[in-house]
Amino acid sequence: MTASEPLDQAWSYPLFEAIYGRRSRRFGLGFEMPTGPFRYTSAHAPVPLTELEEALLVGAGAGFTGLAFWDLPTPAPYGRVSGRAFPTTRPGGHTALFFTNDDGFHVLDHDVSASKLREIETREQRGKLLEIFRAQRRTLKPGRLEIPRRAPVVSAHDHWDSNRPGSTLFMPVCDVSAALISLIAQFVDPALRRYATASGGMNIVDDRHGFRPAGTERWIRDGLIDAEQVLPLSILERQACYYVFSEPAAICQNMFLATEAIGLGGWKHCGFLSLEILERMGFRIVAPASGGMFGNPIGLDGVTQASCPPYHATMDAAVDAVFARTARAEAAPVPHRMSEAEHRAGTVRLSAEGLACTKAVCNYIYETHGRFPGGTDAMHLMWVMQVHHVDTEYYDRFFGTDAYGSTHAAHLSNWHRSEAGEP
């Protein structure tokens, strides 16, 4: 088999075969399950994932796929960054993909410009995945990230297999703060033609403080806000989470399906509290102003940073940064066939009053609750996706040969001939 054939086979693997063949296969080469009815010790040494295998998984989960359509009756101006392999509500997404392996702790830089509708159009271009992976992979520290093997950081039933030698652990971290700012604008400003109606924007009230207006009094008086259309702040922040939480879930699921096509093992899992993992990753945790138990993870300096102080001097500056889209060059590609002037004439933009009202609400949240967002964390790590080389002998013993597919059975022979004992 030539070097390109495994890649071609993975690329052409049937989607519905992957969906219905997908299983959590937790036992990898070099693993040991010390207790329980399935206790077993692998007879093999761990085999780390190759650079190409990681590139394919990253490409499937969070790859840069090309120009997004944004085919809406009221589109926003096109940004510069690429569409992604996962669905998102803003160009580039709200999620940073971190991962750790035997070599180090890494992050995928997300600032990639789209060059055409589909970045990979032909068989010859499939190798571009590896090129992009190498260009965007940024090593933050050498060696495997140390994650405590104790509950509640990691669920007790995953202590034996999570983050083991030879595995790659993918950790998508999403940012709710920017989504919340964007949603506030959409709810208060009729000019955006999203959630605010022609009769006025939503009246955002703080249901944790007697349902008082959340900084919007002036705009209620001026008529931008309709006092009768009440939106509790807790519901608004929950909605921002809904918008963002789908991204890491989709990233992990895409990778999970890719393991079937490549012939790898793995599973998606989580712990109860991710704060300690984020701390180990180097995230800044702001202590609660009210003396509560848990701080607010706001970012990893220079890597992914929440839209709030101290990464911005003020909440006004944070709001300005969210709406200051990276400019797209006049000659940059777009997916549509109309003229730039025609498209520009149909786009919607935040009004000056809408921007001022959005800033007032954001300042109210930050000043009243001592954090932003007020009732949820800025950054979330909810799931991790581990991928490793499956130990087929374990599955042969306990479940039979139909416990894995043809790609798993032939993986070492096709992708790792030296480990399979082949010339």
Side-chain angles (χ1 to χ4, degrees):
M1 181 174 283
T2 65
S4 65
E5 284 182 290
L7 173 59
D8 292 338
Q9 287 185 356
W11 201 275
S12 58
Y13 194 81
L15 173 61
F16 277 85
E17 287 291 335
I19 292 173
Y20 280 87
R22 185 208 60 77
R23 295 291 184 277
S24 293
R25 296 182 180 89
R26 298 174 175 85
F27 202 97
L29 295 174
F31 285 20
E32 178 185 11
M33 189 186 299
T35 60
F38 298 112
R39 59 184 175 273
Y40 187 85
T41 300
S42 175
H44 306 278
V47 177
L49 269 61
T50 67
E51 196 177 34
L52 178 58
E53 288 168 341
E54 288 184 341
L56 280 171
L57 292 164
V58 167
F64 306 96
T65 55
L67 293 164
F69 287 128
W70 299 110
D71 47 346
L72 301 166
T74 53
Y78 276 105
R80 179 182 57 80
V81 294
S82 175
R84 306 297 293 273
F86 58 89
T88 176
T89 58
R90 77 167 180 180
H94 300 267
T95 303
L97 181 59
F98 296 86
F99 58 102
T100 188
N101 53 26
D102 294 340
D103 294 331
F105 172 53
H106 320 273
V107 67
L108 188 72
D109 283 341
H110 63 271
D111 189 15
V112 175
S113 298
S115 65
K116 53 187 176 180
L117 189 59
R118 288 186 61 178
E119 292 295 343
I120 299 175
E121 296 175 319
T122 67
R123 179 177 179 271
E124 291 72 29
Q125 293 173 343
R126 292 172 183 172
K128 190 176 181 179
L129 275 182
L130 183 56
E131 297 171 14
I132 294 175
F133 176 70
R134 287 170 172 166
Q136 300 308 120
R137 178 187 54 200
R138 178 178 166 193
T139 299
L140 300 175
K141 62 177 72 172
R144 182 176 291 276
L145 182 70
E146 221 177 282
I147 297 175
R149 297 187 185 281
R150 55 178 169 78
V153 182
V154 176
S155 182
H157 64 257
D158 286 323
H159 292 177
W160 69 275
D161 55 349
S162 182
N163 201 30
R164 286 297 180 184
S167 69
T168 298
L169 188 70
F170 296 96
M171 298 166 283
V173 177
C174 60
D175 172 17
V176 170
S177 63
L180 177 58
I181 291 172
S182 177
L183 268 179
I184 290 170
Q186 294 176 47
F187 277 111
V188 303
D189 190 4
L192 289 177
R193 298 166 63 185
R194 295 294 194 267
Y195 298 109
T197 66
S199 64
M202 301 289 283
N203 180 18
I204 300 172
V205 298
D206 189 348
D207 47 322
R208 302 182 188 96
H209 289 84
F211 290 87
R212 68 191 185 194
T216 59
E217 294 90 341
R218 169 189 150 190
W219 291 273
I220 293 174
R221 292 193 302 269
D222 293 349
L224 179 74
I225 300 297
D226 182 349
E228 301 302 315
Q229 296 192 65
V230 174
L231 175 61
L233 180 57
S234 65
I235 301 297
L236 173 60
E237 292 190 340
R238 187 189 310 167
Q239 187 67 34
C241 292
Y242 293 164
Y243 268 41
V244 172
F245 287 177
S246 61
E247 293 183 8
I251 289 170
C252 291
Q253 178 68 0
N254 286 354
M255 288 183 171
F256 218 155
L257 295 177
T259 64
E260 290 296 312
I262 303 170
L264 295 167
W267 85 111
K268 173 182 168 184
H269 57 291
C270 63
F272 177 68
L273 295 173
S274 63
L275 274 180
E276 190 164 347
I277 299 177
L278 290 171
E279 286 178 328
R280 296 294 180 101
M281 294 166 72
F283 273 67
R284 187 186 294 210
I285 314 292
V286 176
S290 59
M293 286 183 61
F294 303 113
N296 183 20
I298 61 169
L300 181 56
D301 295 358
V303 179
T304 182
Q305 301 175 166
S307 299
C308 63
Y311 291 120
H312 299 274
T314 63
M315 280 308 304
D316 281 4
V319 173
D320 285 335
V322 167
F323 294 110
R325 295 174 181 266
T326 304
R328 180 181 59 84
E330 191 71 25
V334 292
H336 59 76
R337 297 181 178 181
M338 69 185 73
S339 69
E340 182 70 15
E342 186 179 358
H343 184 268
R344 191 186 301 116
T347 58
V348 294
R349 288 173 171 81
L350 183 64
S351 71
E353 282 299 290
L355 176 62
C357 184
T358 299
K359 288 179 177 179
V361 174
C362 291
N363 277 294
Y364 172 90
I365 294 171
Y366 187 71
E367 292 166 6
T368 302
H369 296 274
R371 56 187 283 155
F372 190 87
T376 188
D377 290 346
M379 298 279 177
H380 292 256
L381 172 62
M382 295 163 292
W383 302 286
V384 297
M385 178 68 203
Q386 177 166 306
V387 182
H388 49 251
H389 288 100
V390 66
D391 190 332
T392 55
E393 293 172 5
Y394 165 85
Y395 291 95
D396 289 344
R397 173 171 174 176
F398 291 109
F399 301 97
T401 55
D402 58 350
Y404 51 87
S406 59
T407 56
H408 302 94
H411 180 83
L412 288 180
S413 178
N414 291 343
W415 294 73
H416 305 265
R417 293 190 176 187
S418 59
E419 284 83 355
E422 298 181 12

